Amino acid sequence: MKSAAWAAPVIAAAVAAPRAAASQGFWDVGVTGTCTTGLLGILGQPQLKFTITAVQGTVPAGTSFTLTSNSLLTISALGASPGSLLAISLLSGSSALLTLNAPLVQGSNVTLDLMGQLITIGLIYTYTLQLNGNDHPANPAVEAPDSAALSALVQLNIGLRSLVCL
């Protein structure tokens, strides 16, 4: 009788734990980078951007990312689309904290445009965007990447900006 009474709370706790884990929900965020070379601003538009995508589930508001660079970041030059989803604040001269202001539902994304940032002539820039903390994918074996890096040589030619992706 004593052993049966002792075992009952253990069984109850074991049954409650999976429900608590399921109530948190699964979510997987993907971070990708895109670098497109523009030729003197004439043939195609140069692009240097990161995209944060809710690959699975809803990425909660407050989820944060760190943007680092080998150059000085000018936060006022960074643009996000849609802009209301991402708060951007400077951590140091070469890093910034990006925080989701609202949940990002599955299939939705927010894009961070770095082209406004590029103001120096003829320098190689490297940017990295990294999820802070961990996401919670249903299957970690097929998890989307939590970070991406971009490198480019920026050039200014006759007042037009171009870049060479590296």
Side-chain angles (χ1 to χ4, degrees):
M1 222 24 184
K2 283 185 178 180
S3 63
W6 174 83
V10 173
I11 293 170
V15 170
R19 278 193 218 132
S23 68
Q24 290 179 337
F26 293 108
W27 59 274
D28 187 12
V29 66
V31 177
T32 56
T34 304
C35 184
T36 305
T37 300
L39 180 60
L40 301 176
I42 299 168
L43 298 176
Q45 289 293 335
Q47 294 183 356
L48 193 61
K49 63 184 180 180
F50 287 108
T51 303
I52 300 167
T53 304
V55 176
Q56 176 188 36
T58 299
V59 180
T63 300
S64 66
F65 304 82
T66 301
L67 175 66
T68 56
S69 173
N70 64 337
S71 67
L72 294 179
L73 291 171
T74 305
I75 295 304
S76 60
L78 297 175
S81 176
S84 61
L85 282 179
L86 204 56
I88 304 171
S89 57
L90 191 63
L91 292 174
S92 70
S94 61
S95 65
L97 180 68
L98 289 70
T99 306
L100 290 176
N101 288 327
L104 192 61
V105 297
Q106 185 170 329
S108 299
N109 61 54
V110 60
T111 300
L112 181 67
D113 182 10
L114 301 175
M115 279 305 292
Q117 167 68 26
L118 305 173
I119 56 174
T120 307
I121 302 169
L123 290 181
I124 295 176
Y125 290 89
T126 301
Y127 295 93
T128 303
L129 184 62
Q130 171 73 47
L131 169 68
N132 295 328
N134 298 309
D135 50 9
H136 305 282
N139 184 355
V142 294
E143 176 183 15
D146 292 342
S147 68
L150 297 171
S151 294
L153 170 65
V154 181
Q155 301 171 338
L156 186 63
N157 299 299
I158 316 168
L160 299 173
R161 205 176 286 170
S162 67
L163 64 95
V164 176
C165 301
L166 304 175

